[in-house]
Amino acid sequence: MGEVSSVVSSILTAIAMLLVAGLAYVAITHYAFNLNNPLSAFGNITSTVVPAVTSINGTAATTTALQFNNSQTNAALDAYALGLINTDRHKYGLGNVTLSNEPSAQQHSVSMLSYSYFSHWDPYGMKPYMRYTLLGGLGAASENVAYRESESCGIFGCTGNINVKQALQQMEYEMMYNDSVCCNNGHRDNILNPDHNEVSIGIAYNSSSVYFTEDFIDNYVNWSDYGINPSTDEMYVEGTLSGGNIFSSVQIAYDKPVQNMTTAQLDNTSSYSYGPTIAGVVGSPLYYYTGIETIDANEYSISGRNFKVAFPMQDTINKNGPGEYTVLVWMNDSSGAGFVGSTYTVFVGAGDRVYTPSNV
């Protein structure tokens, strides 16, 4: 009888161990799924039409963008986050940034929450400045992203509601004062950049997670005309500068064609940058660029704070093929320091034809 009891006891012990192992496996695979589950249905992302940049011929192009979850857009939270940012800037003698109505930050936060990834890139492989153009931005945006999860998480998932304001405060603090190890103080430098005068804020959350995007913007141009004529591939930039800045130059950076990315790929990205500079525009044959292509402008007029530059892009496109061509408008601030004050990404597809992507 004792032997039978011993056998039964051994069987029960084995069953118990299997149950524990099974629960552990469920917990592990649950979190692995959240981190690494590939996005397999990009075409199912809900879209909505938003205005794009007006082209030279006066017609407004349109594109589509990830539908914003308006219930997660909270003016009070935006104002709270703006206060945190400006408090940090004041500590270092910098002026306020104002809240921009550009939707780029909110779109990206909602995208990260909806598809459980964390990156400057998005599921379509686009970088922040590419999305910024497609969503109508005319300045230059530099992005910070952060996220925080509820501390009440266990093998059965997360319980309780995360305190969104507290999470925003913690994320801003981490970006300002604990950024050297992870990011070489890139987030901090972005918050404290004196050339930024606006910020687009994106806050998306559920009961256990908060995603926070800060798109700091340099917005110093009253634009008269900006865009590319698709029929001639001639690019136009025309406007009047403000804020003590002066026009410096126009250059072109190039990225290889964007490709869809899985969550695993997105989670394994870190910082981002413009693609390599491949060309610069000049207004006279007396000037040229070394090491990159020189483009002779069809029109190059600089008068005080007014500027107008029109130049062909077809030869550059023919040389480099499909991809993303980002026009960088360089400026000098009142101290003489140069910075990119505006970006405009031109998307080139098969047959070297300019097109507007259907998604952001």
Side-chain angles (χ1 to χ4, degrees):
M1 192 70 177
E3 291 180 359
V4 174
S5 298
S6 176
V7 171
V8 171
S9 176
S10 298
I11 292 172
L12 291 175
T13 300
I15 292 171
M17 291 177 66
L18 286 172
L19 286 173
V20 171
L23 287 172
Y25 175 78
V26 169
I28 292 169
T29 53
H30 170 73
Y31 288 108
F33 179 86
N34 284 342
L35 290 173
N36 300 312
N37 179 37
L39 293 174
S40 59
F42 298 106
N44 292 337
I45 294 178
T46 305
S47 298
T48 184
V49 174
V50 296
V53 180
T54 302
S55 64
I56 187 65
N57 59 14
T59 60
T62 59
T63 185
T64 58
L66 182 68
Q67 176 110 15
F68 305 155
N69 186 339
N70 291 326
S71 66
Q72 294 166 338
T73 304
N74 190 316
L77 288 175
D78 288 348
Y80 179 74
L82 179 65
L84 295 174
I85 292 166
N86 282 328
T87 296
D88 285 332
R89 288 175 64 88
H90 290 167
K91 291 176 183 177
Y92 292 86
L94 299 174
N96 284 349
V97 289
T98 59
L99 187 64
S100 170
N101 60 4
E102 299 287 355
S104 57
Q106 184 64 22
Q107 183 268 348
H108 192 52
S109 287
V110 171
S111 176
M112 288 190 290
L113 176 68
S114 299
Y115 300 103
S116 299
Y117 70 91
F118 181 65
S119 176
H120 289 292
W121 279 258
D122 67 16
Y124 301 101
M126 292 191 189
K127 299 179 186 178
Y129 53 90
M130 300 174 187
R131 297 190 297 269
Y132 184 66
T133 293
L134 290 173
L135 291 168
L138 294 177
S142 301
E143 183 174 272
N144 284 350
V145 291
Y147 84 101
R148 198 162 187 90
E149 291 183 334
S150 171
E151 296 178 357
S152 302
C153 295
I155 63 172
F156 295 108
C158 301
T159 60
N161 292 322
I162 192 168
N163 186 316
V164 179
K165 282 191 173 182
Q166 184 180 68
L168 292 171
Q169 184 181 43
Q170 291 168 337
M171 286 185 282
E172 178 69 13
Y173 181 89
E174 290 293 318
M175 288 190 287
M176 273 292 297
Y177 301 107
N178 195 24
D179 198 45
S180 59
V181 176
C182 87
C183 309
N184 199 29
N185 284 326
H187 297 97
R188 175 188 173 93
D189 292 344
N190 204 14
I191 293 169
L192 299 180
N193 188 320
D195 291 320
H196 298 330
N197 61 347
E198 295 182 0
V199 62
S200 171
I201 292 175
I203 302 167
Y205 60 94
N206 56 26
S207 61
S208 61
S209 303
V210 181
Y211 287 81
F212 183 27
T213 302
E214 300 170 334
D215 280 352
F216 287 96
I217 297 171
D218 302 329
N219 186 10
Y220 294 106
V221 183
N222 295 317
W223 291 102
S224 303
D225 212 346
Y226 200 168
I228 187 168
N229 187 331
S231 63
T232 64
D233 292 331
E234 186 171 38
M235 183 76 196
Y236 299 79
V237 294
E238 179 183 4
T240 302
L241 283 163
S242 62
N245 301 294
I246 61 173
F247 175 87
S248 175
S249 64
V250 175
Q251 299 177 19
I252 299 173
Y254 172 77
D255 288 279
K256 292 181 179 180
V258 293
Q259 295 182 342
N260 291 345
M261 298 177 69
T262 67
T263 23
Q265 291 172 324
L266 289 165
D267 287 332
N268 286 323
T269 60
S270 53
S271 61
Y272 76 97
S273 64
Y274 299 119
T277 301
I278 60 168
V281 181
V282 298
S284 165
L286 298 177
Y287 298 93
Y288 63 93
Y289 284 87
T290 58
I292 60 174
E293 178 189 357
T294 297
I295 300 175
D296 293 319
N298 297 332
E299 182 173 0
Y300 198 101
S301 173
I302 312 298
S303 177
R305 303 201 181 282
N306 300 313
F307 65 92
K308 181 177 182 180
V309 180
F311 57 95
M313 290 189 64
Q314 189 61 60
D315 286 347
T316 305
I317 291 171
N318 290 343
K319 290 175 184 176
N320 295 277
E324 286 66 59
Y325 296 77
T326 299
V327 177
L328 309 174
V329 180
W330 281 86
M331 305 173 186
N332 291 329
D333 61 23
S334 56
S335 70
F339 66 99
V340 176
S342 179
T343 67
Y344 183 101
T345 299
V346 177
F347 296 84
V348 177
D352 295 344
R353 295 187 61 84
V354 174
Y355 75 103
T356 301
S358 60
N359 294 289
V360 174

